[in-house]
Amino acid sequence: MAPPKKSGKLLQKEEGLERTDNSLAPNSWPVVTMINQKNYYTEYLKRDDQIMVLREQAEEAARLAASAAHPAPQPQNQDGEEENEGNEGRAEEEEVARYGSKIIVIHPGSQNLRIGFASDALPKTTPMVIARRAEKSECETEERCPKRVKLEEGEDTVDLEGEEVVGAVERDKDFDAAFNQLSTELKQKMRSNKRRMLPNSKDLVLSHNRRTVPETIKEHNDPYRVEWTEVSAESPKEYYVGQEALRIPDSSNPRYKLLWPIRHGWLNERDYTSKRRLMEDIQIIIEEGIKTELNLDKKELSSYRAVLVVPDLYERHYITDMVDMLMKEIRFSEICIIQESVAASFGAGFSQACIVDVGAQKTSVCCVDEGMCVTESRVNLKFGGMDVTELLFRLMLQNSFPYKSLDLNRRYDFLLAEELKFKLVSLSDGDVTVATHEFHLRRPDKDTKKFSFRIYDEMYLAPLSHFNPTLLDHQHKLQGRRSLWDRSYDIYDDMPNDPMSTAQSAIYQSLSTKVQEPAPEAPAPRPFGAHLAPIDTTPRSSVAGSPGPESQTPLPGAATPSGQGEAATANGSVAGGVSAAAGGLSPKEVAMRMWEDYDSVIPVCALDKAVIDSISHAAKGDEKKMRDFFAGIMVVGGGGAVAGFRDELEGRIKARLQREGREFQVLIGVPPRELDSKVICWKGASVFGKLRGTNDSWVRQREYDILGQRVLVQRCMWGF
């Protein structure tokens, strides 16, 4: 047992020992004092010069200011006067043109790629398709489009040359009922507008189409014969791009299969088995478009800059992979990104508008305010002009269209269908009449066939599918979904971070009423998203709307009386990211269930309702903003170029507002300066790319090599 320790005084008294302190530290380690928790401060990442991207941007601005302060001397004439003294305006225009000639604007879509220099007046358009060698072509592996069913015995089952047996167009009772209802509404509208109508219009169409016989025209007598792409059997090319791919015969030796890398605004995961191959095909299409349309070689692109147009409501991996491909594979010196709605507002010169972009396979609605898209107003619908084409020929084949074997998966039939749709469709009731039309069927290695046919109201009812999307078949649009790319997750909390808006969530919620009725003994299926609230990962300045009463919380995305979307669950409110109905699930589990619901449903909605919902969520109850948006609607995109489309959309929006008891002046403007609505987005992106001094969204090659995708957080104009 150790002796008890004695104090200093006791030691001095008993033993004469005195303890002294020489103030020497026991070690050389510095003593760290405790932080005063009531008052401490740090400057870490709080100044712009501590962020590399912003620091280099400030240094570049300083260099430009220094060069402007000491301009180079101007050339002088013999009298010692400056030659450019009276030509400042012309010199500035030439400088802008030279600046834009080094910028390439790229707008990829589901059907077309629009590409060109920022200094060009209009872009070059090429099909967004590539043909690769395969065992069979797409028409030999895909089901006929429109779908066919087998005919009964005794019916005509042979096509125009007896080559194959063709079934009848698939009939559906619900489709026929909806179609007949639309036809009746059209008749009522025509009567109210004093339009002349024949009582036997359908019989006239059927009788003419059933007895018509095609006329054969020899190839040397056809002045508009098609130059088909020649395929060499000895040394076939690995791929063909754009128009060349569409001109390859379906029965070529060897076979080629058409691949569309972008479908319905998504990357085409259905027809691809490799991420690398899909992105490689997009790269090849862009490079070939630059080479053939802009006459530039790939080696020259390192001195050019690019502007990429992306959807408003996008998937995060789409932007990151596209930027990675443009910066690392094509090697542009700089790149910037702009959203479609903002680009359209730039092209039209509007600072505040509701942009309705009707594309080939998707339709988007977004409100733009002060040159920025309102994040909660973004809507992305998965139907467009291609669905109109399919519906048009489904209706025409039901009315004994003479070319019975038409198949939209066959290349020459696809080209023919696009040509006929452009000539026929209209949403003006004055064009609805029994009319006779002609078309020439041109096929590889065969004589041209001249057909005569009649059409009545099909050309009007087909584009009405934008306002009645239940007429369309949407099931195939989810095939292959999430087979190559999973959702994007945040690196910090591992939560899905793809952007979502309350307007889009309201559309998903409205689809919950279309859940199939269960059997009497089976339990009822849970409503779509009933266990959770849509978690919007998009940064925004304020929360839309105020919370409802505790006793009854609105459904996710449901419209409140003021037209605002509420993020809540069907059975309880959201607290800390976990709903009362979620059974104590973690925020990640709640978010994962929400996105699983989103991935299992195709977002479709009547276009007029989508516009009203988008504006309601953008205004957030502000009456003045709502009036401004309704008075500033603009339709862009190729699908909206149908005659009478704007008037039909305007009338339907007014009628729906009246049924809801709201009165607003609805005006749908036309693109300014007589610009084609198809190129408005590209034109606005070219204007954005030519901005000097105010455009700080350029990503430089050095920045991307160091920071990678993280640099987009600083460079994108929105919360990426």
Side-chain angles (χ1 to χ4, degrees):
M1 181 175 179
K5 187 176 181 180
K6 297 181 179 181
S7 64
K9 292 182 179 180
L10 187 60
L11 285 173
Q12 183 180 8
K13 180 179 179 181
E14 295 180 356
E15 303 180 11
L17 300 177
E18 182 179 1
R19 181 178 297 171
T20 59
D21 188 1
N22 55 9
S23 300
L24 294 176
N27 54 56
S28 61
W29 293 96
V31 178
V32 180
T33 59
M34 297 293 293
I35 297 177
N36 183 358
Q37 297 293 330
K38 295 181 179 180
N39 183 20
Y40 67 91
Y41 176 75
T42 178
E43 293 185 349
Y44 178 66
L45 291 183
K46 289 188 176 181
R47 298 199 310 267
D48 288 350
D49 57 359
Q50 294 175 331
I51 300 174
M52 190 198 78
V53 176
L54 301 179
R55 183 173 61 251
E56 291 192 347
Q57 178 180 326
E59 292 173 356
E60 179 68 19
R63 284 194 296 269
L64 292 176
S67 61
H70 303 283
Q74 298 291 337
Q76 298 179 348
N77 54 25
Q78 296 179 354
D79 298 331
E81 298 177 356
E82 293 184 357
E83 294 182 356
N84 297 332
E85 185 175 354
N87 302 323
E88 292 84 356
R90 186 173 60 185
E92 184 178 354
E93 293 177 0
E94 293 176 354
E95 176 63 23
V96 172
R98 286 195 301 269
Y99 184 75
S101 63
K102 302 294 287 186
I103 299 173
I104 298 175
V105 182
I106 304 171
H107 185 193
S110 299
Q111 184 170 339
N112 292 311
L113 167 69
R114 291 187 170 86
I115 193 168
F117 295 113
S119 57
D120 293 342
L122 296 174
K124 306 293 191 303
T125 302
T126 181
M128 190 74 182
V129 63
I130 184 173
R132 286 190 175 273
R133 278 187 290 175
E135 295 181 359
K136 294 182 179 180
S137 61
E138 63 277 2
C139 69
E140 296 172 333
T141 57
E142 299 288 339
E143 186 180 4
R144 282 183 174 272
C145 181
K147 294 181 180 179
R148 307 295 209 281
V149 294
K150 292 183 179 180
L151 294 176
E152 298 179 359
E153 295 183 2
E155 295 190 60
D156 185 13
T157 61
V158 182
D159 73 345
L160 58 100
E161 293 189 355
E163 295 178 350
E164 57 184 335
V165 176
V166 180
V169 177
E170 186 180 33
R171 302 299 293 258
D172 181 81
K173 293 182 179 179
D174 295 336
F175 173 83
D176 291 341
F179 172 74
N180 292 332
Q181 181 181 357
L182 290 179
S183 183
T184 302
E185 292 176 359
L186 172 61
K187 292 178 181 178
Q188 295 174 354
K189 180 179 180 180
M190 294 180 67
R191 289 194 187 100
S192 63
N193 293 338
K194 309 298 181 182
R195 302 292 185 186
R196 183 173 178 269
M197 297 173 54
L198 296 176
N200 58 342
S201 300
K202 289 287 185 182
D203 296 335
L204 292 175
V205 171
L206 291 173
S207 61
H208 180 275
N209 290 343
R210 286 170 179 170
R211 69 171 185 267
T212 184
V213 177
E215 175 186 349
T216 302
I217 301 175
K218 296 298 181 181
E219 185 178 1
H220 61 273
N221 290 331
D222 185 6
Y224 302 104
R225 59 182 177 273
V226 176
E227 297 294 335
W228 301 98
T229 302
E230 295 184 3
V231 177
S232 173
E234 291 77 15
S235 57
K237 294 177 63 175
E238 182 182 353
Y239 58 81
Y240 291 88
V241 174
Q243 200 66 35
E244 280 189 346
L246 293 176
R247 297 296 187 188
I248 298 176
D250 295 273
S251 57
S252 63
N253 183 25
R255 292 286 197 275
Y256 282 83
K257 182 178 181 180
L258 294 185
L259 295 170
W260 304 81
I262 300 177
R263 297 273 82 179
H264 313 293
W266 292 323
L267 293 176
N268 185 5
E269 299 175 88
R270 174 197 172 194
D271 298 331
Y272 285 87
T273 58
S274 168
K275 294 181 184 180
R276 179 68 183 175
R277 174 52 62 90
L278 196 157
M279 297 308 300
E280 181 184 350
D281 283 356
I282 296 179
Q283 177 186 343
I284 291 173
I285 294 172
I286 293 176
E287 288 179 350
E288 290 294 324
I290 293 175
K291 181 179 178 180
T292 57
E293 302 293 346
L294 306 183
N295 299 320
L296 288 178
D297 191 72
K298 183 180 179 179
K299 298 178 181 179
E300 305 177 60
L301 298 181
S302 59
S303 61
Y304 283 80
R305 303 194 290 175
V307 179
L308 177 65
V309 184
V310 300
D312 305 314
L313 202 58
Y314 53 85
E315 291 185 328
R316 194 180 180 92
H317 66 75
Y318 172 84
I319 292 184
T320 55
D321 288 356
M322 288 290 288
V323 172
D324 199 66
M325 179 260 296
L326 293 175
M327 296 297 284
K328 290 187 175 181
E329 303 296 335
I330 302 182
R331 302 294 293 181
F332 283 107
S333 62
E334 296 181 51
I335 183 175
C336 73
I337 309 172
I338 184 172
Q339 294 169 296
E340 288 177 339
S341 61
V342 179
S345 66
F346 268 86
F350 296 163
S351 62
Q352 187 179 48
C354 177
I355 306 297
V356 182
D357 188 353
V358 186
Q361 293 190 342
K362 76 170 180 65
T363 299
S364 61
V365 184
C366 182
C367 294
V368 177
D369 190 12
E370 298 297 335
M372 297 289 290
C373 79
V374 183
T375 56
E376 301 298 355
S377 70
R378 295 174 293 180
V379 172
N380 195 313
L381 308 175
K382 299 304 179 183
F383 58 81
M386 281 296 298
D387 298 278
V388 174
T389 304
E390 182 179 346
L391 180 58
L392 172 66
F393 284 93
R394 179 179 179 180
L395 298 176
M396 292 171 65
L397 287 168
Q398 287 181 354
N399 289 337
S400 300
F401 185 62
Y403 181 29
K404 299 178 182 179
S405 61
L406 182 138
D407 182 9
L408 295 179
N409 288 323
R410 201 156 45 194
R411 293 158 199 170
Y412 55 82
D413 285 349
F414 171 77
L415 296 173
L416 172 65
E418 287 294 306
E419 179 184 355
L420 286 179
K421 182 188 74 170
F422 179 76
K423 293 180 179 179
L424 297 177
V425 295
S426 173
L427 279 173
S428 175
D429 57 353
D431 297 332
V432 179
T433 181
V434 178
T436 304
H437 302 274
E438 295 179 347
F439 71 89
H440 293 78
L441 176 62
R442 297 179 175 91
R443 298 165 295 172
D445 303 325
K446 292 183 180 179
D447 292 333
T448 301
K449 295 287 184 178
K450 181 181 178 181
F451 285 85
S452 173
F453 69 99
R454 282 184 178 176
I455 189 173
Y456 178 49
D457 57 357
E458 301 94 325
M459 41 78 73
Y460 184 92
L461 298 178
L464 275 184
S465 59
H466 289 293
F467 312 101
N468 301 273
T470 54
L471 293 173
L472 306 172
D473 180 20
H474 304 287
Q475 296 302 320
H476 65 284
K477 299 176 182 179
L478 283 177
Q479 294 179 5
R481 181 80 170 133
R482 300 296 184 191
S483 60
L484 296 181
W485 277 274
D486 197 1
R487 304 174 194 89
S488 175
Y489 297 94
D490 189 88
I491 61 175
Y492 295 105
D493 55 14
D494 201 27
M495 295 278 286
N497 61 356
D498 282 336
M500 179 58 62
S501 66
T502 55
Q504 186 82 352
S505 297
I507 291 176
Y508 279 116
Q509 181 59 35
S510 67
L511 300 174
S512 63
T513 59
K514 299 179 176 60
V515 178
Q516 185 177 1
E517 292 291 336
E521 65 278 2
R526 62 179 176 84
F528 174 84
H531 59 288
L532 45 86
I535 301 175
D536 184 13
T537 59
T538 304
R540 57 184 185 269
S541 58
S542 61
V543 179
S546 56
E550 296 181 359
S551 59
Q552 183 178 4
T553 308
L555 296 176
T560 62
S562 61
Q564 299 168 241
E566 300 287 349
T569 62
N571 300 321
S573 60
V574 178
V578 183
S579 66
L585 297 176
S586 66
K588 181 179 179 181
E589 292 173 325
V590 173
M592 293 299 296
R593 288 194 179 186
M594 177 191 71
W595 283 102
E596 287 174 3
D597 283 343
Y598 287 168
D599 288 341
S600 63
V601 178
I602 287 290
V604 292
C605 172
L607 184 55
D608 52 330
K609 183 179 183 301
V611 173
I612 294 176
D613 288 349
S614 176
I615 293 177
S616 299
H617 286 83
K620 300 178 182 178
D622 189 335
E623 195 81 8
K624 182 180 182 303
K625 278 192 174 182
M626 197 172 295
R627 293 184 182 278
D628 292 340
F629 283 132
F630 276 117
I633 302 174
M634 186 176 66
V635 178
V636 300
V642 177
F645 184 88
R646 294 181 178 86
D647 295 335
E648 183 71 21
L649 177 60
E650 183 177 317
R652 287 179 175 268
I653 292 175
K654 290 179 179 178
R656 187 178 289 272
L657 287 174
Q658 289 177 357
R659 291 195 298 269
E660 296 176 359
R662 295 192 284 176
E663 293 292 337
F664 292 102
Q665 183 183 17
V666 180
L667 295 176
I668 299 182
V670 297
R673 300 181 294 275
E674 299 181 357
L675 280 175
D676 189 352
S677 61
K678 302 176 185 177
V679 302
I680 285 291
C681 289
W682 183 93
K683 189 65 178 177
S686 69
V687 173
F688 177 75
K690 288 185 291 186
L691 293 177
R692 304 186 67 179
T694 58
N695 186 355
D696 55 358
S697 58
W698 289 102
V699 178
R700 299 179 177 86
Q701 188 67 245
R702 177 176 175 272
E703 296 171 353
Y704 195 81
D705 289 341
I706 296 175
L707 299 176
Q709 302 168 1
R710 292 174 295 170
V711 73
L712 299 178
V713 177
Q714 302 291 338
R715 290 304 193 189
C716 288
M717 294 191 300
W718 68 95
F720 181 74

